[in-house]
Amino acid sequence: MSSVSHASRRAWRCAPGAFAAVANLKAALDQLATAGGQQAALSSAAAPSSAEAPLNWVFLGPPGVGKGTYASRVAKAFGVPHIATGDLIRAEIKSGSDFGVQMKGIVNSGKLLSDAMVQQVLQQRLAQGRRDGEKGFILDGFPRTRAQAEELVRATPVSLVLNMSLREEVLVEKCMGRRLCKHCGKNYNIADIYLPASPDGSRPEIVMPPLSPPPECAPHLETRADDREEVIRHRLEVYKQEAAPVEDFFRARGLLVDFEITAGIPETLPHLMPLLQRYATGAGRSSDKA
């Protein structure tokens, strides 16, 4: 699949492309620092004020595409909360409640939770946000069905839906490489991915180094029970069947923007952030495709 010799991987890291990746990382971090650190500029150009409509964005994409990683960084830059239904569900499962035990059995079998279950945990979080005076959100991992999408737009105005994609063989390897530190709660990924470009140029090269944990987290890493290959492939197939109606629903309303990922975070953020900044300032077009 994405196997490549360790010698080849080492050669790549010593090649000029590695220096370009470092440069891209610095540019991405500088851009995030500018967006998140210069509060006056952010308030006037990106983050919603009390007089503006909330910045209500949805990040769509299959399991393993990186929705949570990108959503958390973008949310921080624009000053709105990152709401991940996956995190809400895992917290409920970890609580050991009757509802959590019921969800755990469904998730571990590779099936998707029902609309009613997901709506229940999400609506609790959105209600808390309204009480706390939050001015928008980036919603990660929801909606998963057309019915959920319809219910969402009935309850909450949505201004942008970012549809993230990644080749399936990479998705499988990324999911199998996911690790969670049970001590601090942070997520890491040990997958080291390299796929060459297709000979005809229709598919670009994909290089995704691991997101390795620091030494203090290494002894505490655990794998999610549902991150087994057979469960992952089943989950991706179910996702594809249910995602198409959701994408069609948002595309018909001029809200959907497709964004293909072909590299790691350092190379991707410099392309993603300017696109999103255009929508935050009202200059984006729903027909954009990255």
Side-chain angles (χ1 to χ4, degrees):
M1 181 177 60
S2 61
S3 61
V4 63
S5 70
H6 291 295
S8 296
R9 291 181 192 273
R10 287 195 297 269
W12 171 80
R13 291 195 181 100
C14 294
F19 296 102
V22 172
N24 284 335
L25 174 59
K26 182 180 185 299
L29 293 175
D30 288 346
Q31 189 165 30
L32 284 174
T34 299
Q38 297 179 358
Q39 187 61 42
L42 179 61
S43 299
S44 61
S49 69
S50 58
E52 296 173 337
L55 191 154
N56 294 346
W57 290 353
V58 173
F59 279 21
L60 297 180
V65 77
K67 297 184 301 295
T69 302
Y70 290 103
S72 64
R73 285 158 171 75
V74 172
K76 182 178 180 180
F78 288 102
V80 295
H82 164 217
I83 301 177
T85 55
D87 289 344
L88 298 179
I89 290 166
R90 282 187 286 275
E92 187 70 28
I93 290 174
K94 190 174 182 180
S95 73
S97 67
D98 291 341
F99 187 44
V101 170
Q102 183 183 2
M103 290 194 297
K104 182 177 181 179
I106 296 172
V107 170
N108 287 350
S109 69
K111 298 178 182 178
L112 295 178
L113 297 173
S114 69
D115 288 357
M117 286 180 165
V118 180
Q119 287 279 7
Q120 180 174 332
V121 293
L122 175 63
Q123 291 305 321
Q124 290 172 353
R125 174 60 182 84
L126 294 180
Q128 182 63 51
R130 289 191 293 270
R131 290 192 293 271
D132 293 343
E134 293 172 351
K135 302 302 181 182
F137 55 78
I138 293 180
L139 191 55
D140 159 21
F142 185 92
R144 288 185 173 179
T145 67
R146 184 183 178 97
Q148 290 177 346
E150 292 172 348
E151 179 62 27
L152 177 64
V153 298
R154 277 196 293 267
T156 307
V158 174
S159 52
L160 173 68
V161 179
L162 186 73
N163 188 35
M164 309 176 81
S165 63
L166 183 61
R167 285 164 60 176
E168 184 167 324
E169 58 265 45
V170 178
L171 287 170
V172 172
E173 189 165 345
K174 280 193 66 184
C175 286
M176 293 179 65
R178 292 192 292 198
R179 297 294 186 272
L180 172 69
C181 177
K182 58 185 178 182
H183 180 69
C184 71
K186 292 183 179 179
N187 292 289
Y188 303 99
N189 199 304
I190 64 172
D192 193 359
I193 298 170
Y194 171 72
L195 287 178
S198 59
D200 62 2
S202 61
R203 288 186 169 184
E205 177 186 67
I206 295 181
V207 179
M208 293 186 173
L211 299 174
S212 301
E216 61 269 23
C217 290
H220 307 290
L221 297 183
E222 61 182 13
T223 304
R224 284 168 43 177
D226 57 330
D227 276 346
R228 306 188 307 272
E229 183 171 358
E230 64 276 13
V231 176
I232 293 167
R233 291 191 181 278
H234 175 72
R235 197 162 65 231
L236 288 174
E237 186 60 34
V238 172
Y239 176 84
K240 285 189 290 186
Q241 293 173 6
E242 296 198 344
V246 176
E247 294 168 10
D248 291 343
F249 175 81
F250 286 120
R251 185 175 285 111
R253 284 155 181 75
L255 297 173
L256 195 78
V257 175
D258 293 305
F259 188 87
E260 182 181 11
I261 295 175
T262 60
I265 296 170
E267 297 83 10
T268 301
L269 279 175
H271 298 285
L272 178 59
M273 288 300 294
L275 172 69
L276 295 178
Q277 285 169 345
R278 295 204 301 272
Y279 284 90
T281 58
R285 300 189 309 274
S286 61
S287 59
D288 280 348
K289 181 174 181 178

